[in-house]
Amino acid sequence: MKRRTLGQGLEVSAQTRLHGHERVYGAGDDDESIATIHEALDAGVNFLDTADMYGPFKNENSLDELSPVV
């Protein structure tokens, strides 16, 4: 897994955008989205970008379901 250093030494995974694919691919499946996030965490992803431009609050709500894990 590629890593990047933020600021003064915080090392994070490089590819971590959680964007709303529904704009391109149609309506998403929440269960599949959660499963994909679990796979990413298992693969070593440790930084998840949930910018509003990806779909206001949609990504944050998905991460809320993972709160015991994250």
Side-chain angles (χ1 to χ4, degrees):
M1 166 97 28
K2 289 185 178 183
R3 301 273 181 199
R4 293 198 171 119
T5 302
L6 299 181
Q8 297 183 18
L10 178 62
E11 195 171 294
V12 299
S13 48
Q15 298 177 340
T16 57
R17 284 177 282 167
L18 300 175
H19 53 87
H21 283 102
E22 56 272 359
R23 291 183 196 152
V24 177
Y25 300 110
D29 178 323
D30 289 340
D31 291 335
E32 184 176 354
S33 296
I34 297 298
T36 300
I37 294 169
H38 275 288
E39 287 182 37
L41 293 171
D42 290 344
V45 169
N46 66 351
F47 181 77
L48 303 169
D49 179 357
T50 62
D52 284 350
M53 68 180 283
Y54 302 139
F57 309 114
K58 177 84 170 159
N59 296 317
E60 289 84 352
N61 290 336
S62 294
L63 290 179
D64 187 46
E65 294 184 37
L66 295 171
S67 59
V69 175
V70 182

